[in-house]
Amino acid sequence: MNNELKEAIEILEKEKGISKATLLDSIEQSLMQACKANFGKNDNINVTIDPETCDYRVTAEKEVVETEEDILDASLQVTVAEARKTDPEAEAGDIITVEINSKAFGRIATQNAKNVILQRIREEERNVVYNQYSNRLKTVVSGVVQRQQGKTYLINLGKADAMLNENEQVKGEKFQTGDRVKVYVIEVKGTSRGPKILVSRTHPELVRKLFEEEVSEVKDGTVEIRGISREAGSRTKMAVWSNNPDVDPVGACVGVNGSRVGAVVNELHGEKIDIIAWDENPAFLIENALSPAKVISVGADPDERSAKVIVPDYQLSLAIGKEGQNARLAARLTGYKIDIKSETQARESGDFDDMFVDDYDENGEYINDFDEYDEYEYTEEEAAEDVSGLQGIEE
């Protein structure tokens, strides 16, 4: 038993994650390469390795000729006298198997064999790492910031470094060497230098995967995340649905005292997250998506994928959001082009009467349950309370 070789193979298998069969195959190829370097050819060479004991044997098939004068190629032929040392019954014209002492190979042949083994080990090590991370594609991984090259961060994931390019970074988000961060794997490429891994902090799926980690109901499929729209670093809207009527999807994602959504918000460094209930009715879905704003009416056209929304006058700016963000995220989440008007604007344009044409009494007076909004003035404290409640997190 070749204990030394066996022990070396077992160590490589454990530390590098390279299979024993692959290592034995690389040794076989290296011995074949050494034979070619030593004899000039290896067409008649056979290498056998016992996978259990790691004992190996190198042999050559040679033609038996009468005398040395008949030898045209010493690597392919042997005299009768020499052949009978191995096979006493050998005769001219026979093909015999001759044992080759690989330890007698020259320095160049030995070095070539060593290089073959090392090259194969490096290739297999790269393949192992590539396979490991290609299986993590479209998942969230945790890594440590190694360094910054220009505007790109290198994140160590364990056995490989990932690249967090500028266009996948959240604006204003800065990291220091040694910071631990969670990233979303968007691409894994195999290269001659090992796998090239690209990760993101801005991808909407990062939010989904973080909620799968924090919310058991999402992980087991009880609660589905039906849609996500995100402006990384600022705000995310997420629509959720429960497959169990006894489970509140919004409450499950928010958690007790906002613990679950809070953990995700912390990982995203304070990004606001609006969690809304998904609804198969597009009008209700759009109304939910525009939260924290109150809505008077939604008229949705599924064919045109457009909707007209009327909100109380004092809610218009909240419905649209800062620089249009709330309306923009709601449109992305629902897939509808949303036209938002205040009640006053809708009355002036005639949209209000069109949307409520059936809601008049016998005297032609409009039945408006929302007139109370015009008479009631919201305090800043009440508005803030509504916003935090609908978002599921404290502002």
Side-chain angles (χ1 to χ4, degrees):
M1 181 181 291
N2 196 331
N3 289 325
E4 186 177 342
L5 179 59
K6 183 179 180 181
E7 183 178 346
I9 288 175
E10 289 174 349
I11 291 173
L12 283 171
E13 184 178 23
K14 183 178 181 180
E15 292 184 352
K16 304 292 187 181
I18 305 172
S19 69
K20 185 177 182 179
T22 298
L23 291 169
L24 291 176
D25 182 65
S26 67
I27 293 172
E28 179 181 336
Q29 294 301 318
S30 71
L31 289 169
M32 293 289 287
Q33 184 66 30
C35 287
K36 186 173 184 178
N38 196 67
F39 303 122
K41 60 184 69 178
N42 60 6
D43 298 342
N44 63 326
I45 302 297
N46 290 308
V47 177
T48 57
I49 305 177
D50 188 320
E52 297 299 325
T53 65
C54 293
D55 288 331
Y56 63 88
R57 184 167 178 256
V58 183
T59 59
E61 293 183 348
K62 294 187 176 184
E63 179 189 4
V64 180
V65 295
E66 287 289 350
T67 64
E68 290 187 3
E69 287 75 15
D70 297 321
I71 293 179
L72 301 176
D73 189 336
S75 65
L76 299 175
Q77 297 171 314
V78 64
T79 65
V80 172
E82 193 66 31
R84 285 179 177 174
K85 293 179 182 180
T86 303
D87 183 357
E89 299 180 358
E91 298 289 345
D94 291 347
I95 302 296
I96 67 167
T97 299
V98 179
E99 193 88 22
I100 294 177
N101 181 13
S102 60
K103 294 181 180 179
F105 288 166
R107 181 180 61 82
I108 294 177
T110 304
Q111 185 63 39
N112 286 344
K114 178 182 177 182
N115 290 339
V116 169
I117 293 177
L118 292 176
Q119 178 64 25
R120 183 67 181 277
I121 289 174
R122 283 193 290 267
E123 289 176 359
E124 287 303 316
E125 190 173 7
R126 287 195 293 267
N127 288 337
V128 167
V129 176
Y130 171 78
N131 291 333
Q132 177 182 346
Y133 288 101
S134 62
N135 290 333
R136 302 298 303 274
L137 186 64
K138 297 183 179 179
T139 67
V140 169
V141 295
S142 180
V144 177
V145 177
Q146 288 288 87
R147 62 186 183 279
Q148 188 174 5
Q149 289 184 343
K151 295 183 178 181
T152 297
Y153 287 103
L154 294 182
I155 314 292
N156 182 264
L157 304 180
K159 292 186 177 181
D161 285 344
M163 299 173 63
L164 180 61
N165 294 325
E166 182 183 14
N167 61 329
E168 297 296 339
Q169 297 171 25
V170 175
K171 186 177 180 180
E173 196 172 58
K174 301 295 181 183
F175 299 106
Q176 301 297 323
T177 299
D179 287 351
R180 181 164 288 278
V181 61
K182 290 184 178 180
V183 290
Y184 181 74
V185 182
I186 56 175
E187 188 175 17
V188 180
K189 292 181 178 179
T191 71
S192 59
R193 296 185 177 182
K196 180 181 180 182
I197 306 170
L198 302 179
V199 295
S200 173
R201 287 278 294 173
T202 61
H203 203 287
E205 287 299 301
L206 173 63
V207 178
R208 182 191 301 273
K209 297 301 180 182
L210 290 175
F211 271 98
E212 286 181 3
E213 290 182 0
E214 293 294 332
V215 183
S216 58
E217 291 87 349
V218 173
K219 188 173 184 179
D220 65 22
T222 302
V223 172
E224 292 181 29
I225 298 175
R226 291 287 184 90
I228 296 176
S229 60
R230 184 184 184 204
E231 293 190 358
S234 179
R235 185 178 293 273
T236 289
K237 282 184 181 288
M238 185 174 77
V240 293
W241 170 270
S242 177
N243 291 310
N244 185 338
D246 296 328
V247 175
D248 172 22
V250 175
C253 292
V254 171
V256 179
N257 296 324
S259 58
R260 289 174 166 179
V261 69
V264 177
V265 168
N266 289 337
E267 178 58 41
L268 298 178
H269 295 169
E271 183 174 317
K272 302 295 190 299
I273 300 178
D274 298 346
I275 303 173
I276 69 160
W278 174 273
D279 201 296
E280 297 295 343
N281 186 314
F284 292 153
L285 176 61
I286 292 168
E287 179 179 353
N288 294 343
L290 286 170
S291 67
K294 305 290 185 181
V295 172
I296 293 176
S297 176
V298 177
D301 185 340
D303 295 329
E304 297 292 330
R305 303 294 292 179
S306 63
K308 292 183 178 181
V309 178
I310 300 174
V311 299
D313 290 355
Y314 71 94
Q315 291 277 288
L316 182 61
S317 59
L318 186 60
I320 295 173
K322 185 179 180 181
E323 297 179 350
Q325 185 185 67
N326 194 60
R328 188 166 57 248
L329 288 174
R332 291 178 189 168
L333 184 67
T334 61
Y336 275 70
K337 181 180 179 181
I338 302 174
D339 179 20
I340 304 175
K341 291 183 178 180
S342 68
E343 184 176 352
T344 298
Q345 291 171 336
R347 288 183 182 278
E348 291 175 350
S349 66
D351 288 337
F352 193 93
D353 294 340
D354 291 342
M355 295 177 71
F356 290 91
V357 68
D358 295 327
D359 294 328
Y360 288 86
D361 62 20
E362 62 276 9
N363 298 319
E365 295 293 330
Y366 181 72
I367 305 171
N368 182 2
D369 293 333
F370 297 95
D371 284 342
E372 58 188 87
Y373 287 128
D374 296 330
E375 301 172 3
Y376 186 78
E377 185 176 345
Y378 242 36
T379 66
E380 291 185 4
E381 291 78 7
E382 288 172 323
E385 183 179 353
D386 273 350
V387 170
S388 63
L390 286 164
Q391 285 181 268
I393 57 174
E394 292 186 3
E395 289 286 349

